[in-house]
Amino acid sequence: MNIDTWPELPYDAWHDTYVTLHMWAQVVGKVALAQAPPMNQAWGIALQVTPRGLVTRTLPFGVRTFTIEFDFLAHELVFRTSDGDVCTLPLAPRTVADFYRQTMDMLRAMSLPVKIWPVAVEIPNPIRLDQDTQHRSYDREYVERFWRIVVQCERVLNSARCDFIGKCSPVHFFWGSFDLAVTRFSGRLAPPREGPAFMREAYSQEVISHGWWPGSGPVLEPAFYAYAVPEPPGLKEARVQPPEAYYHRDLGEFILPYEAVRRAPDPELVLRQFVDSTYSQAATLAGWNRAALERSTDATAR
């Protein structure tokens, strides 16, 4: 099978599917939010990358547990329980309201009557998920392209963090912001910040984060990002690699257009240059104890 591992993902061509899929992910994510134990930095509610799609962590319901998975190869939403039940819903064009209703109906039919707050988050002008009849697109071709990119990004980001031995998040997918992310921690507290409770907790410690999102806000094209919180003096002007990377002052983040990676002779090398150089600049300027947080070359060789 000849598969383009770094496919083109033009924002305009898949925007309607993107928005619909984002809202569907919020329905599933809010089920996780309702049931998952409160793991630090909201790690318990993020979606996990599988060989087939995105899945919730194992969620408790009484003495039973369950998962919900977006299978982007079979194009199904798959419900699995610890007592052996497996049920599916086809992923096909339908309104967000219909997706919400069918997901809730399936959970009730499986004796998992979860209740969620059906309002989208982390987007401007949110529509109630149970009333959203505006978003209804599902283009299989572009969903599969999106998924192939996520698989490659997860693989490279996991590899890039291996020499960091301090606290580090998994590489996981946040359904609110609809991005793949991984975060490293210095071990020091950060100054308190304003915002919702989950944001205050997420940035309660010094962090350097990297990730990929398929386009939103002031950067509509798919792009990789890197940022530090709190941002150390001098980071805006720091030299990073590859040459196509730049600092976006409105976002307060380094940006590397996905196209620069996709078109490179060695996409993985270019992405590693971006992750490694932005981490190194941010950690050095912030005075992180890199000797304690990173695996030494000698230790790696052994």
Side-chain angles (χ1 to χ4, degrees), residues 109-133:
M110 299 177 78
S111 300
L112 299 166
V114 177
K115 294 182 179 180
I116 69 172
W117 182 54
V119 178
V121 296
E122 298 190 60
I123 61 169
N125 306 314
I127 305 173
R128 283 183 61 101
L129 299 167
D130 57 349
Q131 298 175 7
D132 184 352
T133 58

Side-chain angles (χ1 to χ4, degrees), residues 18-245:
Y18 168 18
V19 176
T20 301
L21 188 59
H22 187 182
M23 294 303 98
W24 291 0
Q26 295 222 6
V27 173
V28 172
K30 282 175 172 283
V31 173
L33 178 62
Q35 297 301 122
M39 192 178 297
N40 58 280
Q41 278 82 38
W43 294 356
I45 66 173
L47 302 179
Q48 310 303 304
V49 178
T50 78
R52 302 188 66 89
L54 296 169
V55 67
T56 64
R57 288 183 177 272
T58 300
L59 304 173
F61 193 96
V63 296
R64 303 165 70 208
T65 61
F66 69 102
T67 61
I68 306 176
E69 181 177 12
F70 286 96
D71 184 331
F72 294 132
L73 299 183
H75 296 280
E76 295 177 333
L77 188 68
V78 185
F79 302 75
R80 294 185 177 90
T81 69
S82 56
D83 45 6
D85 286 348
V86 180
C87 295
T88 64
L89 290 173
L91 296 177
R94 65 162 65 81
T95 67
V96 174
D98 283 343
F99 180 88
Y100 168 87
R101 176 180 54 79
Q102 292 172 6
T103 299
M104 295 298 108
D105 286 349
M106 182 65 76
L107 288 169
R108 284 191 290 270
M110 299 177 78
S111 300
L112 299 166
V114 177
K115 294 182 179 180
I116 69 172
W117 182 54
V119 178
V121 296
E122 298 190 60
I123 61 169
N125 306 314
I127 305 173
R128 283 183 61 101
L129 299 167
D130 57 349
Q131 298 175 7
D132 184 352
T133 58
Q134 174 183 346
H135 303 115
R136 58 175 67 227
S137 298
Y138 189 84
D139 186 315
R140 283 189 172 208
E141 169 63 25
Y142 283 106
V143 168
E144 290 176 9
R145 292 189 191 192
F146 157 77
W147 172 238
R148 293 201 296 273
I149 296 168
V150 169
V151 168
Q152 296 306 314
C153 294
E154 191 268 349
R155 179 180 62 83
V156 178
L157 291 175
N158 253 325
S159 175
R161 75 187 185 103
C162 285
D163 288 338
F164 188 84
I165 58 176
K167 175 182 173 181
C168 186
S169 77
V171 180
H172 45 199
F173 196 89
F174 284 105
W175 45 267
S177 49
F178 207 69
D179 66 318
L180 188 74
V182 61
T183 300
R184 310 183 209 199
F185 296 76
S186 74
R188 302 187 303 225
L189 294 178
R193 62 186 286 147
E194 301 295 325
F198 79 94
M199 293 292 286
R200 295 198 302 271
E201 181 190 2
Y203 298 115
S204 61
Q205 301 175 44
E206 291 184 349
V207 300
I208 298 172
S209 289
H210 295 90
W212 176 83
W213 78 94
S216 62
V219 180
L220 294 181
E221 64 178 326
F224 298 93
Y225 64 81
Y227 64 85
V229 175
E231 182 179 293
L235 187 60
K236 292 179 176 64
E237 294 77 27
R239 295 173 63 90
V240 301
Q241 294 295 322
E244 294 87 352

